[in-house]
C-alpha cells in the first residue's frame, strides 16, 4: 500500500491499553493507573479481538462509588464494559467513522472508537480527534 492510499484514520489512531476479558475490576483499575494518559481500556479476547470498552473516567467513578469496594474489585471487568462499542476497521473512511460516532446515544458520544486491522485491535480514535480532522 502506498502512502497516497493510506486512509486519513491512520493519522489519528492512538495507542490504548488492552486487557483480557478474564481480568477483574481491580486488575483493570491497575492498568488504568499505569496508563493515565489513556481515556479508555479495550477489553479483548485471547485472539486480540475487541469485545468491549471501559472508559476510564466512568470506570473510575464506579470504582470509587459508595458500593462495596471489595465486591467491586472482584467483579469481572466485562461486567462493567460497554458491550456494544463502536468498532471500525482502519480502512473505514474518516467521514463515515465521524458520522457513526456522532450518531451514538448522547452518553456515549465521547467514548473512544475502537480501531481494528483485519479484526484485531489496532488502537483507538478519540471523538475530538475525529471532529478536529474534519475542520
Amino acid at each position: 500500500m502506498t502512502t497516497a492510499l493510506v486512509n486519513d484514520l491512520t493519522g489519528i489512531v492512538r495507542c490504548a491499553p488492552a486487557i483480557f476479558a478474564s481480568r477483574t475490576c481491580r486488575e483493570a483499575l491497575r492498568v488504568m493507573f499505569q496508563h493515565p494518559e489513556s481515556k479508555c481500556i479495550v477489553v479483548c479476547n485471547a485472539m486480540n479481538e475487541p469485545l468491549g470498552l471501559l472508559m476510564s473516567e466512568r470506570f473510575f467513578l464506579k470504582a470509587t462509588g459508595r458500593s462495596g469496594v471489595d465486591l467491586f474489585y472482584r467483579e469481572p471487568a466485562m461486567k462493567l464494559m460497554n458491550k456494544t462499542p463502536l468498532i471500525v476497521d482502519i480502512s473505514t473512511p474518516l467521514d463515515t467513522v465521524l458520522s457513526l460516532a456522532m450518531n451514538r446515544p448522547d452518553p456515549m458520544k465521547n467514548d473512544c472508537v475502537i480501531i481494528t486491522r483485519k479484526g484485531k485491535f489496532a488502537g483507538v480514535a478519540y471523538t475530538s480527534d475525529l471532529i478536529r480532522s474534519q475542520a
Side-chain angles (χ1 to χ4, degrees):
M1 182 179 285
T2 66
T3 307
L5 297 176
V6 173
N7 186 304
D8 290 335
L9 194 53
T10 60
I12 62 170
V13 174
R14 295 175 181 253
C15 293
I19 62 171
F20 288 120
S22 60
R23 298 296 181 204
T24 64
C25 287
R26 177 188 294 264
E27 292 165 319
L29 196 57
R30 188 175 302 130
V31 169
M32 187 183 80
F33 285 128
Q34 290 170 345
H35 299 275
E37 74 288 351
S38 182
K39 291 184 178 185
C40 66
I41 299 171
V42 178
V43 181
C44 294
N45 64 18
M47 295 170 290
N48 201 34
E49 299 164 335
L51 300 173
L53 180 70
L54 290 167
M55 290 302 295
S56 296
E57 185 176 310
R58 215 175 294 139
F59 183 68
F60 184 72
L61 288 173
K62 288 180 183 177
T64 58
R66 291 195 170 110
S67 63
V69 174
D70 288 338
L71 178 62
F72 172 82
Y73 282 154
R74 291 191 301 265
E75 297 266 345
M78 279 185 66
K79 188 172 181 179
L80 295 178
M81 74 180 185
N82 174 354
K83 294 172 180 68
T84 57
L86 178 54
I87 302 174
V88 299
D89 188 84
I90 194 140
S91 64
T92 307
L94 190 57
D95 57 341
T96 301
V97 178
L98 178 58
S99 177
L100 291 168
M102 297 312 293
N103 285 318
R104 295 182 287 185
D106 282 341
M108 296 178 189
K109 275 199 167 98
N110 287 318
D111 283 7
C112 294
V113 177
I114 299 173
I115 309 298
T116 60
R117 180 176 281 119
K118 297 182 182 176
K120 309 293 184 193
F121 174 58
V124 297
Y126 294 172
T127 303
S128 58
D129 291 340
L130 292 168
I131 293 168
R132 210 173 6 262
S133 70
Q134 293 292 295

